[in-house]
Amino acid sequence: MVRRYLTTGVALFVVVVSLSTGPLAGADVTNERATDFGEGTATVSSVDVEAASIRVTDGRFGTGVEYVRPPTATVSVESVTGRPRLVYLVSIPNVDVELVETTVVTGPGTYRLEPEDHGMATGTADAGTYDGTLTVRVQSFTADRTVYRENVTVEVAT
């Protein structure tokens, strides 16, 4: 007897919650995704990247993996219209590495773009150096403007 009341109670609860938070009730319980971007632009006052810190190093604890360790890009934005995004691209073509980090610009302020370290099989990058490029762009559906670009030398630690 108790099971029937429990099942009925749960079903009733689900129906009430569905109706009270659905589109007909006018209550929105979802959040706008911060990754949604659209039309717009941003005025960038400065971009700070410690370009000399990019490197390829061995993994820890004998993992047999080498890691590309990209620097963080700190972007100061003065003004924003719409919902553009910042795109930070770390490219090292000779070892087939292209890392991309993005963030939607929601207002003036400082934005940090921190790509994660990228693992590669040991031996992918020979000892020495490789040419790479660090690029920061302001992007929307119809515009794509480069605000920072620097050629870098990527050292492979042995």
Side-chain angles (χ1 to χ4, degrees):
M1 192 66 118
V2 173
R3 267 187 188 269
R4 187 173 137 213
Y5 291 121
L6 180 62
T7 304
T8 303
V10 169
L12 183 61
F13 175 74
V14 169
V15 169
V16 168
V17 169
S18 297
L19 290 175
S20 65
T21 60
L24 297 176
D28 185 9
V29 295
T30 61
N31 291 330
E32 181 179 352
R33 290 181 30 208
T35 58
D36 289 343
F37 79 104
E39 285 302 321
T41 189
T43 303
V44 173
S45 60
S46 69
V47 177
D48 183 34
V49 179
E50 195 174 315
S53 69
I54 189 170
R55 64 194 182 286
V56 176
T57 62
D58 288 337
R60 296 182 185 166
F61 311 114
T63 59
V65 176
E66 296 174 327
Y67 286 91
V68 174
R69 305 206 188 268
T72 298
T74 305
V75 182
S76 296
V77 175
E78 285 185 5
S79 64
V80 179
T81 56
R83 293 191 57 84
R85 70 180 179 176
L86 294 171
V87 178
Y88 177 34
L89 175 65
V90 177
S91 177
I92 312 168
N94 288 344
V95 289
D96 199 26
V97 170
E98 190 166 288
L99 308 175
V100 179
E101 185 71 21
T102 65
T103 189
V104 175
V105 181
T106 56
T110 301
Y111 294 85
R112 289 177 53 87
L113 298 155
E114 301 177 79
E116 292 187 15
D117 294 346
H118 175 74
M120 302 182 302
T122 297
T124 301
D126 296 327
T129 60
Y130 291 89
D131 293 330
T133 307
L134 307 175
T135 307
V136 177
R137 302 185 327 237
V138 175
Q139 185 181 67
S140 69
F141 286 145
T142 57
D144 190 355
R145 180 172 45 95
T146 299
V147 294
Y148 173 87
R149 181 179 169 90
E150 184 170 352
N151 294 326
V152 293
T153 299
V154 182
E155 184 177 339
V156 178
T158 56

